[in-house]
Amino acid sequence: MFKRILLASDGSEHAAKATEKAVQLAQLTENSFIQVIYAVEGDSRLKSLSRDEERGKSDTYNR
């Protein structure tokens, strides 16, 4: 039925229900697999990385 299943998760109850359904669907087909992507809202590390990259660009132009 399904060979590849993409499962998006954010840790919510809805994501847990989607996980259960994805496993059920994967069990219907031999050699199927589930690929998971985990989403995080407002990760501060991304903001700091972006600022560091901008600093690096401005340092390069000021040399």
Side-chain angles (χ1 to χ4, degrees):
M1 183 181 234
F2 295 98
K3 262 197 155 28
R4 297 180 186 143
I5 300 169
L6 177 61
L7 174 65
S9 180
D10 61 0
S12 67
E13 286 184 42
H14 293 292
K17 290 179 183 178
T19 301
E20 291 173 15
K21 188 54 121 174
V23 170
Q24 291 171 356
L25 290 171
Q27 290 173 338
L28 295 175
T29 306
E30 190 175 321
N31 297 324
S32 63
F33 65 93
I34 300 170
Q35 188 170 10
V36 180
I37 184 167
Y38 189 79
V40 187
E41 184 178 343
D43 189 343
S44 62
R45 292 175 296 172
L46 295 177
K47 290 178 185 173
S48 66
L49 176 63
S50 184
R51 283 192 301 263
D52 290 344
E53 288 175 347
E54 287 302 316
R55 277 190 218 122
K57 287 179 185 175
S58 64
D59 289 346
T60 302
Y61 295 127
N62 291 332
R63 290 182 190 172

